[in-house]
Amino acid sequence: MAGTDHTKAALAAALPSGPAVILVAPQLAQNVGSVARAMANFGLAELRIVGAPGSTDDPSARAFAAGADYVLDAAVHFERLEDALADLDLVIATTARERGQAKPVDAPAEAAARLAAHIGGGGRAGVMFGRERNGLENEEVALAARVMTFPVNPAYASLNLSQAVLLVGYEWFKAATGGAAPFDMPTRSPPGSHAELVALFTHIEGELREAGFFRSPSKTASMVINLRNMIQRMEPTKQDLQTLHGVVSALVEGRPGPEGRKRTVLKPLVED
């Protein structure tokens, strides 16, 4: 599976415990498998399923889990929703529509911050997700302390079950880990020194003069400044500077001199 790195299992084990994901009467085993995959993406491991015995053992659930079988293997099945929530002290119900219930409503990012703070303080929390066809019943939403809803297109607010879990998992992971990107642009070469940068300016500007690039004496100074500023904005590394020297040299080698012969190339002033 693209993006899976089994060498980082120790890092995954160090992730903070997340909220339980409670699926109420899921109708398709494929969706249960997709939920497991979404949970694994964001370090969620506790899956509770109400009213769908055997859904985690279905071959289609295993196929759609795409390797997140450990989430399915550890899933706990319940007959009653009340039993699935019994040990939790913060329960949030997800819904796409207003239910007329006097409950505080959070967007996913707000709910995730609340969950992270609650769990970080030693609490137990869970997020409820309803049926694919019609979501949670009003009586089920009434068992939650808060409601979470998603800012989506009001004309088409229906989310797939695993999509809803993915959105919650993403916001939870950001809130719990700081949300930094997992990797940055690699640095393969140290920054070029000022002297090396000036050497490149000398090389390029000298060859441009030889080629007649600076045709207007009155504009030469401003063109040189613009060229230098353009290169400076690149924040070139030593390797970048060497590459640019090589580019200019290659172009000069292929250009005939005034007598139809190849000209002598200016040697780059940057040493390897």
Side-chain angles (χ1 to χ4, degrees), residues 21-26 31-32 35 47-51 127 129 161 165:
V21 172
I22 303 118
L23 304 184
V24 180
N31 283 337
V32 174
V35 164
L47 177 60
R48 303 182 183 190
I49 302 176
V50 180
V127 182
F129 298 86
L161 180 59
V165 174

Side-chain angles (χ1 to χ4, degrees), residues 59-168:
S60 61
R62 297 285 162 162
F64 276 74
D69 296 64
Y70 69 93
V71 176
L72 297 177
D73 293 337
V76 180
H77 290 266
F78 297 86
E79 292 184 6
R80 295 178 350 115
L81 178 57
E82 289 83 355
D83 295 333
L85 306 179
D87 63 329
L88 305 177
D89 41 43
L90 174 60
V91 177
I92 298 178
T94 60
T95 179
R97 61 187 186 276
E98 196 273 327
R99 301 300 188 105
Q101 299 190 27
K103 290 184 184 294
V105 179
D106 293 325
E110 298 167 334
R114 192 178 307 279
L115 288 165
H118 185 81
I119 294 171
R124 299 271 295 164
V127 182
M128 285 196 295
F129 298 86
R131 303 154 189 80
E132 293 93 328
R133 185 175 299 114
N134 59 352
L136 294 167
E137 302 290 344
N138 286 334
E139 295 77 11
E140 294 161 347
V141 174
L143 297 175
R146 307 183 71 88
V147 166
M148 183 194 316
T149 193
F150 304 96
V152 294
N153 176 8
Y156 195 79
S158 175
L159 288 174
N160 176 270
L161 180 59
S162 63
Q163 291 175 330
V165 174
L166 187 79
L167 285 174
V168 173

